[in-house]
Amino acid sequence: MAFLVGVAFAIVRMKDLLAVIMLLGIYSLLSASFFVAMDAADVAFTEAAVGAGISTLLMLVTISMTGRSEHPVRHKPLLALAVVIITGSLLIYGTLDMPYFGSAEAPIHQHAAPRYINDSMQEIGVPNIVTSVLASYRAFDTFGEVVVIFTAGIGVLALLSVVRRREYTINDDSFNHSMHEQHLILRIVTKMMIPFILLFAFYVQFHGDFGPGGGFQAGVIFASAVFLYTMLFGTSTARQVINQSFIQLLAATGVLLYGSVGIVSLLIGKEFFDYSALSADPITGQHLGILLIELGVGITVASIMIIIFFNFVGRRNNLQHKENEGD
Amino acid sequence: MLLGLYNYWVVIVLMMVGFYIVIAHGNLIKKVVGLSIFQTSVFIFYISMAKVDGGSAPILAEGIKQYSNPLPHVLILTAIVVGIATTALALALAVRIKEAYGSIEEEEIQKKDNQIC
Amino acid sequence: MLTHLPILQVIVPLMAAPLCLLLVRPRLVWLFTLIASGFTFLISSLLLQQVMTSGTIIYELGGWEAPWGIEYRIDQLNAFLLLIISAISTVVLFAADTSIRQEIPADRHTLFYVLYLLSLAGMLGIVATGDAFNVFVFLEISSLSAYALIALGKDRRALWASYQYLIMGTIGATFILIGIGLMYQMTGTLNMDDLSRRLPEVAQTRTVFTAFAFVIVGICLKLAMFPLHLWLPNAYAYAPSIVTAFLAATATKVAIYLLIRFTFSVFDFSFSFTHIPLQILFVVLGLTGIFVASTTAIYQTNVKHLFAYSSIAQIGYMIVGFSVSTVAGLTATLLHVFNHALMKGALFLALGAVMYRIGSVQLTQFQGLGRQMPLTMAAIVIGGLSLIGVPLTVGFVSKWYLILAAIENGWWPVAVLILLGSLLAIVYVWRIVEAAYFKLPPDGRESIKEAPLSFLIPIWTLVIANIYFGVDTRLSVQVAQAASQSLFGVSP
């Protein structure tokens, strides 16, 4: 915990954004390990993939476009400091009546949680309780979550997408060839690793019922395989493999798949997202429902991450082309 | 009492560091970093709540009697995704602002806006 | 199907959004969005009917009962808001196809509609749900889509406004998340109804007080209540006209809903108002907001900015009604929510028409517009009269109820101040009227045509509604009263 505080303070002082982003990545990783210590395996997995992985990557691409250092603030931030101190004190004041850390008597362990822990095996039949809460009891929240990530992807598209011109593709190809000689080892190793990464992604996707994992983590891992490929082989090659409009359709399909499971339940006459409507045996229905929605999640997350990445990199390439033309 | 709540207090300090960065620093990217720290610290807060002494990860297995609470885990999974969605959008805005204003420092942007009016 | 209305209310726009990506031609996407929004309006009217006759509707998602599952809980309050949001959305969309052709690049049109539907679904989801964390998730859906929509504005200041809104909005949402966490910590539940039953036992603890504080501050950031209103003027001024018309009439209403819901239903009335000096705080902040914002509006040269500041003032009126915290006060606030949506929807749409024809909303450009765009300017005048609170308009009705509520409560000074605020509104409305009708058009401007029908129809629908509901107040008052009575636990 002390490490986290140290890292946080270091971030405040540093002006070099590259260092700041690296420190943020470390902060994420430390948080993830803290989560493991707190028995939150799924959360640690997701935080490591998303916070330390995707977040760091996007920030690095951004500062490659916006500049590496921060200008010092000229005036003394006394008002900010005052606000922060008041807020912090209020929070500390609030904790004084809270149940102690780790206490098993706390209200939250008495009220809703016991049913999840004790009954979920009979009601849903899945060992990973987090998955049964996420994908069944509170499936609607997770649907909202998928929609949130979809929204962000559309937003990034709306902000950053550029129409690629033919000359750019030709320039990129010659750039790729020169890269080929320089990074031969990396390219060969990557080509060998990508299938394993993709396989791991599929494993995480389908094993989420039994161990930590599930749609989100799987989607992010799948996307990172694509990122690796793109970084080493160039965006134009990657775009040939993964077409822009196709990936947008894929993202939409993921959300629609998730929602359709709910609509099928409606059509059969039960509530939205009531999986017991999906099959004669309610437990099978639960399994089927969870499988389908996790698939929807995985598809959407993977596609949106790829869309976001491609748009950031595409914008950067566009900028570089403009600069080259200007010279 | 000190030991029982120590964990929470450290988290609050972290939250406030993040919050401070957001409001006190002018660089748009730094603000996003601060927001990220602020949000991650809230996650740590929730997860600390969920821990039960002597419990283990909420995956049903033979022989384990005590489990930590799975509900906050679910909430935080969602919150992490919401966080990255916000970060992505904020960074995209920063890129566009840099292109449009030539700078991502709050003071310089406001100066340019005031010059026009 | 009728039993599934609550969830359909949110699912229809939510699923329509990704479906837009599957359609190829933007014109088709517009039509599809319009139909989806129309359906949403239909559903909300049916829901309101159901609730007014048979009482609160409860819908358990996934078949799991609360608090283990998420439930939708529709009572008179949310049904009313669902109606307002979906109605405004549909009316505004009529003009969308024409308006965005001028303001947004063609390759972004489909994305615009996707974001619009997501924003609509997000807001409906916030209002319909009975689960506190679900509120957070849908709050983020509506917020993220709003940030993106605002950033689509032509002027580069739209980008900066969107970023500032993002930062302030995310801080607000994170505060709400902290508050929910603290509440959960003390009660073990996330369901709002369940919370209302379990919070009283722990209401005296410092943790619950802190939870309340964080939730309220977070909501007030989203509400643009003075002094946390700084993001609103720029966001409304530089966003595309349709976006402003839509958001101005709906986004802050959702925040008011959350405020009311949390102070009355979750933390109950005695806690919110007697244990904590909320009344005094809100009445002071509300009144200050009215005066500061109205005065700032007078000095604006950009008419969109002017009306944005006017919106902040109107929010101030709603806060004052809320702080009176009687059935009458809450009725007044809810009436104003309804009326403000009609007024500002019409006004910002009309401004959108002006922007479409002359490409600017600077006050100097408004000169002579009274003659050149008579129907549009007439709409703006009527909207302005409504803002001031002239009888026969909807604005008069809510001001009337507001003043009555204040007087009933013995708050004479407040009633006087409300009247003074209206005087300030006269000043800024007059500036526009003066420019449009009493000044000559700037040199070199050839004759401008009136706004196209696609604008005039929705604008005048809202204006006529403005007048109709100003004269026949039965519907709006009935629903508003029923809603506030149910919140106070009085059977209607």
Side-chain angles (χ1 to χ4, degrees):
Chain A
M1 280 291 254
F3 274 132
L4 278 171
V5 181
V7 171
F9 274 104
I11 294 183
V12 177
R13 305 309 258 129
M14 300 211 87
K15 299 275 175 269
D16 180 2
L17 289 176
L18 183 64
V20 166
I21 294 174
M22 287 296 123
L23 283 176
L24 189 64
I26 295 178
Y27 187 87
S28 277
L29 274 175
L30 285 173
S31 311
S33 23
F34 178 75
F35 292 152
V36 172
M38 294 291 116
D39 305 331
D42 271 278
V43 182
F45 198 162
T46 313
E47 172 65 33
V50 167
I54 305 279
S55 192
T56 312
L57 189 62
L58 281 181
M59 289 195 190
L60 285 174
V61 178
T62 308
I63 60 165
S64 74
M65 288 186 268
T66 58
R68 197 172 142 166
S69 60
E70 174 193 9
H71 297 183
V73 185
R74 242 165 298 170
H75 55 275
K76 286 234 163 281
L78 284 175
L79 181 62
L81 211 53
V83 171
V84 168
I85 292 180
I86 295 176
T87 318
S89 327
L90 184 59
L91 270 175
I92 294 186
Y93 171 79
T95 59
L96 292 175
D97 285 328
M98 273 177 27
Y100 291 163
F101 175 64
S103 147
E105 315 293 312
I108 62 172
H109 303 305
Q110 306 299 322
H111 184 46
R115 172 169 167 180
Y116 292 142
I117 296 178
N118 298 328
D119 300 337
S120 67
M121 200 56 192
Q122 291 132 311
E123 293 182 328
I124 302 180
V126 158
N128 186 343
I129 310 181
V130 172
T131 300
S132 43
V133 177
L134 183 114
S136 181
Y137 291 105
R138 294 188 70 96
F140 193 61
D141 257 353
T142 312
F143 189 40
E145 181 183 357
V146 173
V147 173
V148 168
I149 198 71
F150 180 71
T151 310
I154 300 292
V156 169
L157 258 180
L159 284 171
L160 293 185
S161 66
V162 278
V163 181
R164 290 183 58 80
R165 304 206 320 232
R166 195 90 19 110
E167 324 68 275
Y168 292 174
T169 323
I170 304 174
N171 283 343
D172 280 340
D173 281 339
S174 53
F175 179 66
N176 281 340
H177 282 297
S178 64
M179 272 259 287
H180 191 84
E181 284 96 60
Q182 287 177 21
H183 299 287
L184 198 57
I185 297 180
L186 270 176
R187 289 188 163 211
I188 295 178
V189 172
T190 309
K191 272 194 177 164
M192 291 196 299
M193 278 184 56
I194 286 187
F196 287 103
I197 300 179
L198 291 174
L199 200 61
F200 185 55
F202 280 112
Y203 168 75
V204 170
Q205 169 82 50
F206 294 109
H207 197 71
D209 293 356
F210 302 95
F216 289 100
Q217 297 92 328
V220 170
I221 294 173
F222 190 92
S224 47
V226 175
F227 297 167
L228 197 57
Y229 182 78
T230 313
M231 281 196 273
L232 282 171
F233 291 88
T235 36
S236 49
T237 332
R239 276 180 207 269
Q240 283 169 6
V241 177
I242 297 181
N243 183 289
Q244 270 285 45
S245 31
F246 172 68
I247 202 98
Q248 284 177 29
L249 284 178
L250 211 56
T253 314
V255 181
L256 290 170
L257 176 62
Y258 198 127
S260 314
V261 173
I263 294 194
V264 167
S265 315
L266 272 188
L267 292 173
I268 298 188
K270 296 234 171 156
E271 271 88 7
F272 194 71
F273 283 142
D274 189 346
Y275 300 145
S276 55
L278 298 175
S279 151
D281 168 33
I283 300 287
T284 318
Q286 293 287 342
H287 283 231
L288 190 59
I290 294 181
L291 187 75
L292 287 173
I293 63 152
E294 289 276 17
L295 207 58
V297 171
I299 295 174
T300 304
V301 170
S303 345
I304 292 287
M305 291 298 169
I306 296 174
I307 289 177
I308 293 180
F309 183 66
F310 273 12
N311 273 285
F312 268 84
V313 173
R315 195 86 184 182
R316 182 167 174 277
N317 287 347
N318 203 40
L319 213 62
Q320 276 186 336
H321 285 299
K322 289 222 182 90
E323 282 171 14
N324 292 343
E325 279 169 22
D327 290 336
Chain B
M1 184 226 246
L2 204 65
L3 288 174
L5 295 177
Y6 164 74
N7 231 301
Y8 295 131
W9 291 350
V10 175
V11 181
I12 292 173
V13 168
L14 288 171
M15 275 195 240
M16 290 304 111
V17 171
F19 187 37
Y20 175 76
I21 297 179
V22 178
I23 53 181
H25 285 244
N27 182 298
L28 298 189
I29 308 288
K30 201 73 183 292
K31 280 183 189 283
V32 175
V33 169
L35 208 56
S36 215
I37 297 179
F38 185 32
Q39 288 178 318
T40 312
S41 317
V42 177
F43 305 159
I44 298 178
F45 181 70
Y46 266 74
I47 299 293
S48 310
M49 262 201 275
K51 168 85 177 148
V52 176
D53 275 332
S56 77
I59 299 176
L60 294 166
E62 293 292 315
I64 301 187
K65 298 269 174 4
Q66 270 271 41
Y67 294 101
S68 286
N69 196 323
L71 186 56
H73 298 184
V74 175
L75 303 180
I76 293 307
L77 275 176
T78 306
I80 291 177
V81 176
V82 169
I84 185 74
T86 314
T87 306
L89 210 56
L91 291 174
L93 280 172
V95 168
R96 285 289 301 275
I97 290 178
K98 170 76 176 180
E99 284 175 20
Y101 283 88
S103 156
I104 51 168
E105 298 287 335
E106 191 175 11
E107 290 173 347
E108 291 172 27
I109 297 172
Q110 281 176 334
K111 223 190 294 179
K112 294 206 177 171
D113 273 345
N114 292 336
Q115 276 169 357
I116 300 177
C117 286
Chain C
M1 261 312 131
L2 280 182
T3 45
H4 298 294
L5 280 181
I7 190 59
L8 281 175
Q9 175 80 96
V10 178
I11 290 300
V12 166
L14 204 54
M15 300 280 277
L19 276 173
C20 282
L21 282 181
L22 300 176
L23 300 168
V24 183
R25 306 184 48 200
R27 210 75 205 296
L28 208 59
V29 178
W30 168 66
L31 212 60
F32 178 68
T33 310
L34 188 61
I35 295 174
S37 185
F39 257 114
T40 316
F41 174 59
L42 197 66
I43 297 174
S44 67
S45 338
L46 288 171
L47 268 176
L48 184 62
Q49 249 180 1
Q50 258 188 359
V51 174
M52 289 299 278
T53 45
S54 26
T56 309
I57 303 176
I58 299 179
Y59 187 87
E60 290 166 357
L61 284 154
W64 304 111
E65 70 274 24
W68 295 277
I70 297 173
E71 72 173 5
Y72 265 20
R73 193 170 263 267
I74 316 273
D75 61 8
Q76 290 95 337
L77 179 64
N78 8 17
F80 192 34
L81 265 124
L82 289 173
L83 186 74
I84 297 174
I85 296 173
S86 48
I88 296 284
S89 159
T90 316
V91 173
V92 166
L93 269 176
F94 264 106
D97 188 47
T98 326
S99 179
I100 65 174
R101 251 184 261 156
Q102 289 241 333
E103 299 192 29
I104 301 179
D107 57 352
R108 306 280 204 255
H109 283 192
T110 310
L111 295 174
F112 170 81
Y113 290 114
V114 176
L115 288 167
Y116 188 96
L117 282 169
L118 286 169
S119 191
L120 176 65
M123 286 196 269
L124 293 171
I126 298 173
V127 173
T129 188
D131 182 283
F133 190 75
N134 205 227
V135 166
F136 171 72
V137 176
F138 277 81
L139 186 65
E140 286 299 272
I141 295 178
S142 76
S143 302
L144 285 176
S145 43
Y147 307 147
L149 281 171
I150 293 173
L152 284 174
K154 266 201 305 204
D155 193 313
R156 72 178 183 183
R157 283 172 286 189
L159 296 168
W160 177 230
S162 173
Y163 183 87
Q164 283 183 304
Y165 183 21
L166 185 148
I167 295 289
M168 288 190 83
T170 310
I171 294 177
T174 314
F175 274 14
I176 295 177
L177 187 62
I178 295 176
I180 294 176
L182 288 171
M183 284 193 282
Y184 173 67
Q185 170 79 305
M186 299 308 284
T187 58
T189 178
L190 292 168
N191 180 274
M192 296 204 275
D193 187 58
D194 202 20
L195 275 171
S196 72
R197 271 175 277 135
R198 302 185 129 235
L199 276 172
E201 307 168 359
V202 281
Q204 302 303 318
T205 57
R206 290 168 267 207
T207 313
V208 171
F209 170 72
T210 313
F212 184 71
F214 271 88
V215 170
I216 297 297
V217 172
I219 295 177
C220 289
L221 264 167
K222 289 279 174 183
L223 182 55
M225 186 178 94
F226 182 87
L228 301 168
H229 63 284
L230 298 166
W231 57 268
L232 193 145
N234 284 342
Y236 281 13
Y238 300 118
S241 309
I242 294 292
V243 174
T244 314
F246 180 48
L247 290 179
T250 54
T252 40
K253 315 295 171 298
V254 173
I256 285 265
Y257 161 78
L258 279 177
L259 186 67
I260 297 176
R261 182 60 83 197
F262 272 94
T263 45
F264 282 91
S265 309
V266 178
F267 297 88
D268 69 66
F269 175 73
S270 53
F271 175 80
S272 314
F273 286 97
T274 47
H275 188 63
I276 298 177
L278 209 60
Q279 263 194 330
I280 313 268
L281 192 63
F282 271 40
V283 114
V284 168
L285 286 177
L287 287 171
T288 322
I290 297 175
F291 282 96
V292 170
S294 302
T295 319
T296 321
I298 297 177
Y299 290 99
Q300 295 305 309
T301 50
N302 177 315
V303 181
K304 267 176 114 176
H305 255 135
L306 190 151
F307 282 124
Y309 278 103
S310 160
S311 289
I312 300 178
Q314 303 302 314
I315 293 169
Y317 285 113
M318 292 183 225
I319 299 280
V320 170
F322 168 77
S323 61
V324 174
S325 62
T326 56
V327 173
L330 208 56
T331 310
T333 300
L334 289 175
L335 267 178
H336 205 52
V337 164
F338 180 69
N339 298 336
H340 185 239
L342 288 178
M343 290 190 269
K344 279 292 158 53
L347 278 171
F348 279 112
L349 262 185
L351 286 182
V354 170
M355 177 63 115
Y356 180 73
R357 281 297 183 214
I358 64 176
S360 155
V361 280
Q362 289 293 112
L363 195 56
T364 44
Q365 295 293 323
F366 265 69
Q367 293 170 344
L369 221 48
R371 234 150 295 144
Q372 291 177 320
M373 293 179 77
L375 288 171
T376 313
M377 274 319 297
I380 295 183
V381 170
I382 297 182
L385 290 176
S386 205
L387 275 177
I388 297 170
V390 168
L392 284 191
T393 61
V394 113
F396 172 71
V397 177
S398 33
K399 287 254 170 75
W400 175 251
Y401 273 88
L402 201 57
I403 295 176
L404 271 184
I407 294 178
E408 248 180 43
N409 212 29
W411 286 7
W412 284 92
V414 173
V416 171
L417 287 171
I418 294 175
L419 281 173
L420 284 178
S422 304
L423 289 181
L424 285 175
I426 298 180
V427 179
Y428 60 72
V429 173
W430 172 249
R431 286 194 80 203
I432 303 176
V433 171
E434 182 194 17
Y437 289 100
F438 295 100
K439 293 227 176 103
L440 293 170
D443 295 323
R445 190 162 81 193
E446 341 81 66
S447 56
I448 311 284
K449 284 188 290 187
E450 177 56 83
L453 268 181
S454 56
F455 266 106
L456 287 176
I457 296 179
I459 294 175
W460 277 92
T461 313
L462 288 174
V463 170
I464 293 175
N466 230 302
I467 301 178
Y468 175 76
F469 284 107
V471 174
D472 177 5
T473 60
R474 281 170 302 163
L475 174 67
S476 46
V477 172
Q478 222 182 17
V479 180
Q481 240 167 11
S484 53
Q485 275 167 342
S486 76
L487 286 170
F488 276 91
V490 177
S491 36

